Amino acid sequence: MRITNLYQYNRTVANYQKSMKSIEESREQLSSGQKISNSYEDASVYNDGLRLDYEISTLKQVSEVTSKAQNFSKNSDNALEEFSKQLENFKVKLVQAASDVHSHTSLEAIANDLEGIYDHLKNIANSSVNGQYLFSGSAVSTKPISDYGVYMGNKDQMSVVGGSNVQIPYNVSGFDIFLGTDSDYAKTLTTNVKLADLSKKNAKEAPVYLDDESSIKNLVGLNYVKDTDSLDGDYDFSETSGVKFQNTYFYLQGTRADGKSFTSKFSMTADASMRALMDKIGMEFGNTATSKIVDVNINDSGQITVEDLTLGNQVINFSLVGATEQVNSKADIANAIAHDAAGTSPASVSKLSDLAGKSDVYITDFTKSKFNDIDGNVVDSLDFDQVKFQRVDNTLISNVSQVNRKTGEFATDSTRLSETAGGDKLYTGSTSKYDIDNQSLGIKVVSKIGTTYDIKINFGTDDGATPTSFEISGVKYPIYNSDEFGDYRTRTSDLTYRQIMDIVAMAASDNIPTLPHDEDAGTLTDEERKENVEVYSASIKKSRGMVEVGFDTKGRITLTDKTQAETTMELAIFDTTESGKFYGDSTGTTDATSQGKGAIFSFMQNNALTIDEPSVDLFKDLQEMIAAVRNGGEQRADSESEDPRNTGLQGGIEKIDHLLDHINKSKVKIGSYTNLLEDTKTRADLMSVNVSSVKSEIIDTDYAFAYLTLMQRTTSFQAMLSSTAKINQLSLLNYL
């Protein structure tokens, strides 16, 4: 190979550049503190650095957001702690009011104290931090509790990122706190008539309340005859009197624990005990000799209580009426007994309405209310589910929750009526929808302008042979498929509450549609059906500007007048197929196809009162407790009080224990969130340090090694320069 001057020059420049580059690399490592400055220098180190930078950034973000969320949850925890303390104070005052030593003035003072605690509880519920309400769900800018104790927030739970695919909640919505449900509580019902021993002529002045050992003749007492003077006081009711009194017939109806509606008519002899009556009620609810579904007792005020032993269940209800043939005098008792044997009055009665106005029948009341029946009269014992909704200011409210029998959840707009029906037959192949073919509902509406509409909802058959429809004054209207309606009628099993409520809204707002084409006249063209749908849809949309029909937080239907502070509207919705019919009891033999079958739909009832149930409505429950104190400190529900459906102080004490437990559960939940957030933040901070340490090992410069490398490369560079200079000084004479 020929070595020329040009070759020597090129090699010198190349060596120079290579050495300078290596020296610059070492100097850059020393000055920057990192092994590389650009991705092309070492791809593996660069990739590891990027990955670790991302991990550090994520961990810092987790630390930051969990710190903010932890602040939110801690404030929520503190608010619930104060809320729990105030509820304890409320309970103390309530127990004080339950003492018999208070005068009306002192009870009023206690009620004022309770009102003050109630207002403070509302203020706590409306706590906010940094402009965000703690208990509004995700609607943090919305005040959760209104001045009337109504929850205004939503059900949403907020959460923060606690890592890859990890969401950590940091709030408990006010809906869960103030309107939640506890699956470890049972529903307990009570009658409100205090049953006294009516065999005493001074029963009203000095009542002796019935107990387990009392007999039916103590329940009816002197009312076996109209001329009570023909009875000789207690003597005629003793074991040795020799007088055999007429049987009493009982009419029981309601809903069992499995959601099935039922009716039962049975008789009991005068000598039967109240314990026997309660056992019979329990049997009609499903109790057997080996298992109990409900627990039926009589309290010390002579009121019958029924407790559902299925925890978390909240569908049971009942109404009980007693009927005894009444005779003119003691001498006629034998004739009445003969009537019983012959199966005549009241044994032959198959509908409660048949007892109305009978002067020869004594009615034993178990529950009284101040509701109105569909004719506008105050309800009596013979009225059960044909009752008008209760009016509260501009809203009409029902008192029966619509509950999905499969899930146990309260109904929503999209819930099908076949999912809540109280029947016992399922549609073929269905595990959640109950057969409602050929059933019907009656709806009575007094509209905003005072027009009365009598509406009948015809469910038809699910095979489509008889479509769903509703009738007003003989005019039939189809029920279209959904809120968007589509182009066909609704199948019976798919009929939703929203569709029923839209019909109510159209009537209440006087917006009944006039369809341009008759659906039953023959097959309509697509264009004709479209015109019908548009008219139907327009009527519903127009009604929504005037009234609002929906569910409250407990699945009860409400009708609200959006233009008046106090509405004049009236509403009743009731089953027209089986309502009020009695064929016999669960063990009888009459009409086996209808045995024990009750109305499968119910919306408003003159039923037993609810002492407690799994769901709570905290502020409404507290208001009822305050009202019980103001009403004179009634210990228990009293049919003769100003508010006969208030469960009294004893019911309030039982309920507030539930409320306290419910709040404590919410506090435990938010406390667990706080601890989880704190642990997550600590972990994120620790992991951030660890990852930073790993990143340092991978990408940071080892200064000792880098400096030694620089010295070596500098020495090599100087040696290269010296050698190159000497080589470049050589000439031909050096080789001669």
Side-chain angles (χ1 to χ4, degrees), residues 20 57 221 226 299 384 418 444 502 504 510 520 538 569 601 653 713 718 723 728:
M20 287 300 297
S57 297
K226 296 178 182 179
N299 63 30
F384 177 57
S418 58
K444 189 167 186 175
D502 283 341
V504 172
D510 299 286
D520 293 327
M569 297 187 299
F601 294 109
I653 291 171
R713 289 176 176 176
Q718 291 173 347
S723 299
N728 287 338

Side-chain angles (χ1 to χ4, degrees), residues 57-181:
S57 297
T58 300
L59 290 168
K60 287 182 177 179
Q61 184 183 26
V62 168
S63 178
E64 182 179 347
V65 297
T66 52
S67 178
K68 293 179 179 179
Q70 186 180 358
N71 182 55
F72 192 99
S73 64
K74 280 184 176 179
N75 281 291
S76 300
D77 195 1
N78 292 336
L80 288 178
E81 178 69 28
E82 177 63 18
F83 200 98
S84 179
K85 289 180 180 178
Q86 292 303 318
L87 268 186
E88 289 280 3
N89 293 338
F90 194 100
K91 179 183 176 181
V92 170
K93 295 287 185 182
L94 198 64
V95 172
Q96 288 177 358
S99 171
D100 292 332
V101 301
H102 293 290
S103 65
H104 177 76
T105 301
S106 61
L107 284 173
E108 190 67 24
I110 292 175
N112 291 335
D113 287 344
L114 292 174
E115 198 79 54
I117 297 173
Y118 173 85
D119 290 337
H120 186 39
L121 288 169
K122 285 198 300 183
N123 291 335
I124 297 172
N126 289 327
S127 298
S128 63
V129 174
N130 196 26
Q132 293 184 326
Y133 289 104
L134 299 177
F135 303 119
S136 291
S138 63
V140 292
S141 60
T142 300
K143 185 179 178 180
I145 303 298
S146 72
D147 294 338
Y148 302 101
V150 178
Y151 180 65
M152 307 300 292
N154 60 34
K155 304 179 182 180
D156 297 344
Q157 187 172 67
M158 298 184 292
S159 59
V160 295
V161 176
S164 179
N165 297 320
V166 176
Q167 297 286 328
I168 302 175
Y170 65 92
N171 79 313
V172 177
S173 75
F175 185 91
D176 293 332
I177 296 172
F178 310 122
L179 300 168
T181 300

